[in-house]
Amino acid sequence: MTAPARADRAELDRQYSPSRLVPSLDAYLDAYAEQSARARRALGVRTGLRYGPGTAETLDFFPSDRPGPAPVQIFVHGGNWQALTERESAFCAPAFGRAGAAFAAVG
Protein backbone atom coordinates (compact mmCIF):
# COMPACT_ATOMS: atom_id res chain seq x y z
CA MET A 1 0.00 0.00 0.00
CA THR A 2 1.35 3.39 -0.99
CA ALA A 3 1.14 6.35 1.34
CA PRO A 4 -0.97 9.23 0.04
CA ALA A 5 0.94 12.08 -1.54
CA ARG A 6 1.39 15.13 0.65
CA ALA A 7 0.29 18.48 -0.65
CA ASP A 8 2.77 21.32 -0.49
CA ARG A 9 1.92 24.58 1.28
CA ALA A 10 0.77 26.32 -1.91
CA GLU A 11 -1.67 23.50 -2.71
CA LEU A 12 -3.02 23.45 0.85
CA ASP A 13 -3.51 27.22 0.76
CA ARG A 14 -5.41 26.87 -2.53
CA GLN A 15 -7.64 24.09 -1.19
CA TYR A 16 -8.49 25.99 1.99
CA SER A 17 -9.28 29.25 0.22
CA PRO A 18 -12.87 29.47 -1.02
CA SER A 19 -12.05 32.68 -2.88
CA ARG A 20 -9.65 30.65 -5.06
CA LEU A 21 -12.03 27.73 -5.62
CA VAL A 22 -15.52 29.25 -5.94
CA PRO A 23 -15.80 31.60 -8.91
CA SER A 24 -19.02 33.23 -7.65
CA LEU A 25 -18.02 33.46 -3.98
CA ASP A 26 -18.98 37.13 -3.69
CA ALA A 27 -22.59 36.29 -4.56
CA TYR A 28 -22.71 33.79 -1.70
CA LEU A 29 -21.11 36.24 0.74
CA ASP A 30 -23.59 38.95 -0.29
CA ALA A 31 -26.47 36.51 0.27
CA TYR A 32 -25.12 35.56 3.71
CA ALA A 33 -24.94 39.23 4.66
CA GLU A 34 -28.48 40.00 3.44
CA GLN A 35 -30.02 36.93 5.07
CA SER A 36 -28.15 37.68 8.30
CA ALA A 37 -29.44 41.27 8.30
CA ARG A 38 -32.95 39.96 7.73
CA ALA A 39 -32.56 37.56 10.69
CA ARG A 40 -31.43 40.42 12.93
CA ARG A 41 -34.45 42.49 11.97
CA ALA A 42 -36.92 39.63 12.45
CA LEU A 43 -35.58 37.92 15.57
CA GLY A 44 -34.56 38.94 19.04
CA VAL A 45 -30.78 39.15 19.14
CA ARG A 46 -28.24 40.13 21.77
CA THR A 47 -25.17 41.47 19.99
CA GLY A 48 -21.58 41.92 21.03
CA LEU A 49 -21.56 39.44 23.92
CA ARG A 50 -17.98 38.89 25.07
CA TYR A 51 -16.55 35.40 25.39
CA GLY A 52 -12.86 36.33 25.72
CA PRO A 53 -10.49 39.23 26.33
CA GLY A 54 -9.76 40.06 22.68
CA THR A 55 -11.65 42.81 20.89
CA ALA A 56 -12.89 40.37 18.25
CA GLU A 57 -14.00 37.76 20.80
CA THR A 58 -17.68 38.50 20.71
CA LEU A 59 -20.76 36.65 19.64
CA ASP A 60 -24.33 37.45 18.69
CA PHE A 61 -26.96 35.37 20.48
CA PHE A 62 -30.45 34.62 19.22
CA PRO A 63 -32.39 33.13 22.16
CA SER A 64 -35.00 30.46 21.62
CA ASP A 65 -38.55 31.78 21.75
CA ARG A 66 -39.75 28.58 23.39
CA PRO A 67 -40.08 28.44 27.17
CA GLY A 68 -37.62 26.45 29.20
CA PRO A 69 -34.20 25.09 28.38
CA ALA A 70 -33.27 24.95 24.73
CA PRO A 71 -30.38 23.50 22.75
CA VAL A 72 -27.91 26.00 21.31
CA GLN A 73 -26.42 25.85 17.84
CA ILE A 74 -23.03 27.58 17.85
CA PHE A 75 -21.93 28.67 14.39
CA VAL A 76 -18.21 29.23 13.89
CA HIS A 77 -17.68 30.46 10.36
CA GLY A 78 -14.78 29.11 8.34
CA GLY A 79 -12.30 31.22 6.50
CA ASN A 80 -9.61 31.44 9.16
CA TRP A 81 -11.24 34.73 10.19
CA GLN A 82 -9.96 36.38 7.01
CA ALA A 83 -13.48 37.16 5.84
CA LEU A 84 -16.87 37.30 7.51
CA THR A 85 -17.73 38.02 11.10
CA GLU A 86 -20.64 37.18 13.35
CA ARG A 87 -22.54 39.95 11.51
CA GLU A 88 -22.63 37.90 8.28
CA SER A 89 -22.99 34.52 10.00
CA ALA A 90 -26.54 34.71 11.35
CA PHE A 91 -28.21 33.60 8.12
CA CYS A 92 -29.28 30.23 9.51
CA ALA A 93 -30.56 31.55 12.88
CA PRO A 94 -34.21 31.55 11.71
CA ALA A 95 -34.13 27.84 10.83
CA PHE A 96 -32.73 26.90 14.22
CA GLY A 97 -35.23 29.18 15.92
CA ARG A 98 -38.11 27.45 14.13
CA ALA A 99 -36.72 24.14 15.42
CA GLY A 100 -36.77 25.47 19.01
CA ALA A 101 -33.04 26.06 19.38
CA ALA A 102 -31.09 29.14 20.34
CA PHE A 103 -28.37 30.24 17.95
CA ALA A 104 -24.98 31.89 18.48
CA ALA A 105 -22.83 33.35 15.72
CA VAL A 106 -19.24 33.57 16.94
CA GLY A 107 -16.81 36.30 15.95
Side-chain angles (χ1 to χ4, degrees), residues 36-47:
S36 294
R38 198 174 317 135
R40 290 172 195 294
R41 289 189 301 269
L43 304 173
V45 60
R46 296 177 59 197
T47 61

Side-chain angles (χ1 to χ4, degrees), residues 41 51 54 60 65 94 106:
R41 289 189 301 269
Y51 67 86
D60 290 351
D65 59 359
V106 177

Side-chain angles (χ1 to χ4, degrees), residues 1-6:
M1 182 178 208
T2 306
R6 292 184 182 246

